[in-house]
Amino acid sequence: MANSRWPGWSEKTLDERTSMLLASGTLTPADLRVLRAETSETLSSADQRVENVIGIHSVPWAIATNFRVNGEDVLVPMVIEEPSVVAAASHAAKLVRRSGGFQAEATAHLMRGQIQLVGCPDGVGAERRLLDEREGLLDLAGSSHASLIARGGGPRDLIVRWVGAMLVVELLVDTADAMGANLINTMMEGLAPVVERIAGGRALLRILSNYADTCLGRASCVVDPNVLGRPGYPGTRVRDDIVAASQFAEEDVRRAVTHNKGIMNGVDAVVLATGNDWRAVEAGAHAYAARNGRYGALATWRVNERGQLVGQLEMPLALGTAGAAIRVQPTVPVALKLMGDPSARKLAEIVAAVGLGQNLAALLALVTDGIQRGHMRLHARSAARITAAAPVEGP
Ligand code: MEV
């Protein structure tokens, strides 16, 4: 895995960054041509992907440095239009790596499909018959997905739930390294007629659930207060103020949404770079933040018995690194290559670490100088560029 500590990277020019990437063998000239759209998405391929296309909207593709996750360095690709996010992530990762980097883990990669049953004349009997047929239904669901089974995935559990007066059949599927939305939808549509026959009702919706609470990413980190200090702000005060900021988000939904938005700045940027469905990740994340009946913080900060700041994040991360859908975008294989071609679970670990780092960077700025100073400097830089490039209007 590439060393992610690239001192001075952010001060280099674009040409210098390019030379460093090539000289280190991190990326090849062909990779860079893809990222620079020379062989990337063309109007005609965009036209094949979605409907009514008339153009392409481009977003910057950047590399965050300094990340160390589970003892391994990783360079993180980020696709994002907002200034400061990449610099902030890299800065937080630099602080965290001084105490060993992020620890992260991902749960099993289980995705959930749902079949909504309506009009069952004997719901209680239907529930019993479905549970009696559980093993057969699981086999049937897997039977037309030999390649998934060969990759170590497959249906793992079938649950029958009551939602008001409706019965809902849920299938939990290990989708291996695929995000699995298409796969689950195909499975649920295939299973529905059999479920209807057993239940005696009508299968209405047959669809993936984006509430990915069986596909979680977790990250934690420990930061010494002495690396948090800056002129006018002693490290122990910054540490305690970050805890107070965390408690604000834990207690107040209005702050929690913004706290989580900052986390999603980092999460979405990597999700986008890796060709994953960021709307799915967003929807799952916010629902998970409200899992206890009140919307709360996805990442929290406390002080441990050694006086160090400890951060923890847990959120659904239904991501894939395999499957045709994510590789349609030509830049995606380059992003995955940069991270050492991770499995879906490893990608979830990296993304969880980025989310936690992004949150640390935001809170660190907020409890000290505020975010506007750095933010406005970068805004001014792009505004100046736009002004310089703007066509001069005629009389
Ligand atoms: C801005 O995009 C994100 C922040 O507002 C997050 C936060 O307030 O924690 C800085």
Side-chain angles (χ1 to χ4, degrees):
M1 184 79 68
N3 173 7
S4 69
R5 182 83 189 93
W6 288 35
W9 169 252
S10 59
E11 279 89 50
K12 304 254 183 278
T13 63
L14 182 53
D15 283 345
E16 288 167 344
R17 287 196 294 273
T18 304
S19 305
M20 280 175 77
L21 283 168
L22 292 175
S24 62
T26 309
L27 293 181
T28 63
D31 294 332
L32 286 174
R33 276 198 300 280
V34 170
L35 296 180
R36 289 163 185 196
E38 289 166 39
T39 60
S40 192
E41 178 121 79
T42 61
L43 197 53
S44 63
S45 76
D47 197 28
Q48 303 295 311
R49 287 174 65 185
V50 294
E51 311 73 37
N52 306 352
V53 166
I54 54 163
I56 298 171
H57 172 94
S58 64
V59 183
W61 195 107
I63 298 177
T65 53
N66 303 323
F67 275 89
R68 195 165 176 76
V69 182
N70 293 336
E72 275 185 25
D73 274 24
V74 59
L75 289 165
V76 179
M78 299 181 91
V79 168
I80 186 150
E81 84 299 343
E82 182 172 330
S84 305
V85 169
V86 180
S90 306
H91 178 60
K94 187 165 144 193
L95 300 183
V96 171
R97 74 182 282 127
R98 287 177 58 181
S99 40
F102 296 89
Q103 294 303 312
E105 60 172 24
T107 61
H109 199 261
L110 289 181
M111 301 296 289
R112 187 190 307 264
Q114 297 186 301
I115 299 177
Q116 174 196 17
L117 282 168
V118 293
C120 290
D122 167 21
V124 176
E127 180 185 20
R128 198 196 59 246
R129 289 192 300 279
L130 286 164
L131 289 174
D132 286 348
E133 298 291 336
R134 185 178 163 279
E135 291 303 322
L137 287 166
L138 284 170
D139 287 347
L140 181 67
S143 62
S144 49
H145 292 85
S147 72
L148 174 66
I149 313 279
R151 284 183 281 121
R156 295 286 184 261
D157 201 4
L158 183 132
I159 297 158
V160 184
R161 291 173 51 220
W162 285 96
V163 176
M166 283 171 290
L167 267 185
V168 176
V169 176
E170 293 187 345
L171 195 65
L172 287 173
V173 183
D174 183 336
T175 56
D177 281 329
M179 188 275 194
N182 283 327
L183 191 143
I184 297 267
N185 293 341
T186 310
M187 240 183 220
M188 302 321 284
E189 290 185 8
L191 205 59
V194 184
V195 166
E196 276 181 333
R197 271 200 301 280
I198 297 170
R202 184 163 61 94
L204 192 54
L205 304 195
R206 297 142 296 159
I207 188 75
L208 168 81
S209 165
N210 286 119
Y211 190 63
D213 62 341
T214 49
C215 193
L216 300 173
R218 299 190 184 103
S220 63
C221 66
V222 174
V223 191
D224 278 323
N226 56 13
V227 306
L228 294 171
R230 52 180 69 183
Y233 300 96
T236 47
R237 183 173 125 194
V238 174
R239 174 199 66 192
D240 293 345
D241 285 350
I242 288 177
V243 172
S246 172
Q247 285 164 336
F248 182 16
E250 291 162 47
E251 296 297 325
D252 179 50
V253 61
R254 296 174 187 175
R255 173 57 205 155
V257 172
T258 319
H259 180 92
N260 291 344
K261 190 275 179 184
I263 292 169
M264 299 314 288
N265 277 345
V267 168
D268 285 342
V270 190
V271 170
L272 255 170
T274 54
N276 279 285
D277 181 346
W278 57 270
R279 284 90 51 212
V281 174
E282 282 279 342
H286 298 293
Y288 195 71
R291 68 193 175 285
N292 297 323
R294 198 180 62 164
Y295 188 94
L298 289 169
T300 56
W301 298 90
R302 291 291 183 272
V303 177
N304 68 13
E305 64 292 342
R306 297 176 60 196
Q308 297 162 308
L309 183 68
V310 181
Q312 282 182 315
L313 172 143
E314 179 179 281
M315 62 182 288
L317 284 168
L319 304 175
T321 54
I326 68 162
R327 288 180 181 262
V328 172
Q329 172 73 34
T331 54
V332 167
V334 182
L336 293 171
K337 171 184 164 178
L338 186 74
M339 287 187 285
D341 283 313
S343 65
R345 285 174 76 169
K346 192 162 178 186
L347 177 61
E349 291 170 356
I350 295 169
V351 173
V354 173
L356 185 60
Q358 204 73 56
N359 184 233
L360 173 62
L363 298 185
L364 189 55
L366 287 166
V367 303
T368 54
D369 290 336
I371 64 157
Q372 283 311 87
R373 196 198 283 186
H375 211 66
M376 293 322 290
R377 202 182 52 233
L378 284 164
H379 258 310
R381 202 175 74 176
S382 29
R385 208 168 286 157
I386 290 164
T387 315
V392 180
E393 277 185 32

